[in-house]
Amino acid sequence: MTDVIRAAAHDDVPDMIVLLHEAFAVASGTRGDKADLPLQGRYVLERDGIVCATAVATPLGQYFGGRELKATGVHSVAVGTDYRGSGAGSLLMDGMLKEMYADGVAVSTLFPSAPAAYRKAGWEIAGDHRTYRAPLEALPVTKGSEALVRTWTYDDLPAIVDCYNRFAATEQGLLARSPYWWDLRHPKDADRTSVFRRAVWEDGRVTGYVAYRKQSAGKDLPHYFDVEVSEVVWTTPTASAALLTHFARHKGLGRDLLWSGPPRDPWLSLLGGLVARVEFCYPWMLRIVDVAAALSGRGYPTWVDAAVCFDLTDPNLRENTGRWLLKVSDGKATVEFGVGDDDVPIVTLGSCELAALYSGWASTRDLLRAGRLAISAPEAVDALDRIFTGPPAWLPEMF
């Protein structure tokens, strides 16, 4: 048996179409056997001359601690039915990880269909994507604020991107989007009768924006609708008030507002006498690809002055296996490999546990209680939790 992991080529498209249909029933973006599948970041596993698995690692950035790290978003992972359980998927992921490491990627993110398979390759749950639902009648109205709201078009995209980047840098886990990713999220040719775009401008700068659709509220209410927001970002109290007021104006035939936001979304405390509920929640997973780049490249709280040693085991990327000394001060970190310090506590863990700590999804106490790491001294608990403190990690999009 001969296995070859390589970048996908145009000649592989028909085989990849079949794999995607087998895995997902409908292959997004395909049109029969003549689909124009983007090949950037797309890999295949060829076994004895047969393309039996494929996946994509899209180049992106990701924010942690206010700084952008080189990252990839893994998606469209498909293994042929006849090759499932044969190790083909694991082999493909290992090969992609090695390519990422060689390319200087710090972290990688994906939404898992089968978490155990990705956990085996070193990914771990690190955040979530969630959708809230609230009655439009519960939204506050601020008189005069809607005068700041106007339609935005593709020509305004640079200002929209600037607003998003300012917001994303204050959150944990949000993506630094490439032009390709922006085109996927907000295509130039979006139908203006079905996708509505609004932005708030203050002093010539976008301080908030939305993109949304109106979806039928139910078969028994053919003229009534819910407002389904595909993206909402705001950076000032004025922008928040203006966007909420804009949505509140849909009352009447409008029923509910659905939007994606962080676990501690400030809008939850701005509603009236009715409570928003979580309509949908799905986890995403993080992989620390290059330990040195991930630990030294992110930001840390400026008030933290702490140090810890990691005894890390990473069977998929042996370059990461060994002892790492992490020292954090003034919002920055120094990272050394292969050295220790007698005065610094040691934490023994694997790549999955490091990912969960890194994003702030799991605390040191959580992982200790679950038996997933070991410490040499009690002070390691507080040191780690101070180092990786921050807002909950989340993503406004799924992929």
Side-chain angles (χ1 to χ4, degrees):
M1 182 174 66
T2 302
D3 290 321
V4 177
I5 300 168
R6 57 175 174 79
H10 182 73
D11 290 344
D12 299 318
V13 169
D15 291 329
M16 291 189 294
I17 294 293
V18 172
L19 292 172
L20 290 169
H21 275 282
E22 283 190 358
F24 302 109
V26 176
S28 177
T30 65
R31 297 181 297 277
D33 291 330
K34 298 181 179 179
D36 184 21
L37 285 179
L39 296 179
Q40 182 186 26
R42 194 176 294 270
Y43 294 85
V44 296
L45 170 62
E46 191 176 62
R47 176 166 290 176
D48 295 332
I50 298 174
V51 174
C52 64
T54 183
V56 183
T58 298
L60 294 163
Q62 194 163 15
Y63 288 100
F64 285 99
R67 294 180 187 165
E68 178 186 342
L69 297 171
K70 187 173 183 177
T72 61
V74 174
H75 57 96
S76 302
V77 180
V79 180
T81 307
D82 297 334
Y83 293 88
R84 294 174 190 172
S86 71
S90 295
L91 188 62
L92 177 60
M93 299 307 291
D94 282 350
M96 291 173 62
L97 278 172
K98 289 178 173 57
E99 289 289 331
M100 292 180 209
Y101 184 88
D103 194 38
V105 171
V107 296
S108 180
T109 298
L110 56 80
F111 280 88
S113 55
Y118 297 109
R119 190 170 286 120
K120 183 179 178 182
W123 273 267
E124 185 52 270
I125 293 173
D128 66 31
H129 164 88
R130 60 181 62 199
T131 301
Y132 296 102
R133 178 187 286 268
L136 288 168
E137 63 186 73
L139 304 185
V141 174
T142 304
K143 292 183 179 180
S145 65
E146 202 173 358
L148 299 171
V149 180
R150 69 170 176 82
T151 298
W152 68 271
T153 69
Y154 196 80
D155 292 337
D156 297 312
L157 192 60
I160 297 298
V161 172
D162 175 67
C163 179
Y164 170 84
N165 287 341
R166 284 184 280 116
F167 171 73
T170 66
E171 298 291 318
Q172 200 85 308
L174 267 64
L175 301 179
R177 299 169 178 166
S178 65
Y180 169 75
W181 204 261
W182 275 103
D183 285 340
L184 289 178
R185 294 283 292 169
H186 302 286
K188 185 176 183 179
D189 58 354
D191 183 359
R192 292 174 57 196
T193 65
S194 61
V195 178
F196 304 95
R197 296 166 169 170
R198 298 291 188 272
V200 180
W201 296 77
E202 299 179 61
D203 299 324
R205 194 179 200 185
V206 173
T207 57
Y209 68 90
V210 293
Y212 63 93
R213 298 175 180 268
K214 296 180 180 181
Q215 301 289 352
S216 173
K219 293 181 180 180
D220 57 335
L221 298 170
H223 300 296
Y224 293 79
F225 60 86
D226 292 329
V227 178
E228 295 191 0
V229 180
S230 60
E231 183 154 301
V232 56
V233 166
W234 52 272
T235 60
T236 68
T238 298
S240 171
L243 293 176
L244 284 170
T245 299
H246 175 77
F247 287 132
R249 300 302 188 197
H250 290 80
K251 289 185 296 187
L253 292 180
R255 286 296 184 245
D256 291 343
L257 175 70
L258 292 91
W259 78 97
S260 293
R264 299 198 293 248
D265 194 325
W267 274 9
L268 301 180
S269 63
L270 298 179
L271 305 181
L274 300 172
V275 175
R277 62 183 174 86
V278 176
E279 175 82 358
F280 175 80
C281 186
Y282 201 87
W284 50 268
M285 303 180 85
L286 182 71
R287 212 313 177 171
I288 307 299
V289 179
D290 185 322
V291 171
L295 291 177
S296 63
R298 63 166 292 164
Y300 297 87
T302 55
W303 51 267
V304 172
D305 189 350
V308 67
C309 279
F310 294 113
D311 271 352
L312 178 65
T313 301
D314 188 343
N316 306 92
L317 285 172
R318 298 192 181 280
E319 295 88 344
N320 290 331
T321 295
R323 177 162 293 185
W324 295 87
L325 175 60
L326 171 66
K327 294 183 177 180
V328 173
S329 182
D330 296 324
K332 298 180 181 180
T334 59
V335 182
E336 297 180 81
F337 179 69
V339 299
D341 187 321
D342 292 340
D343 297 324
V344 175
I346 300 170
V347 180
T348 303
L349 74 175
S351 54
C352 291
E353 291 71 35
L354 179 59
L357 284 170
Y358 185 90
S359 75
W361 181 258
S363 70
T364 310
R365 288 176 175 83
D366 291 336
L367 295 174
L368 274 172
R369 187 160 53 95
R372 296 187 60 184
L373 56 73
I375 57 175
S376 65
E379 53 264 30
V381 175
D382 288 335
L384 274 178
D385 287 345
R386 289 200 311 273
I387 287 171
F388 293 119
T389 189
W394 68 289
L395 282 171
E397 66 254 78
M398 290 187 69
F399 52 87

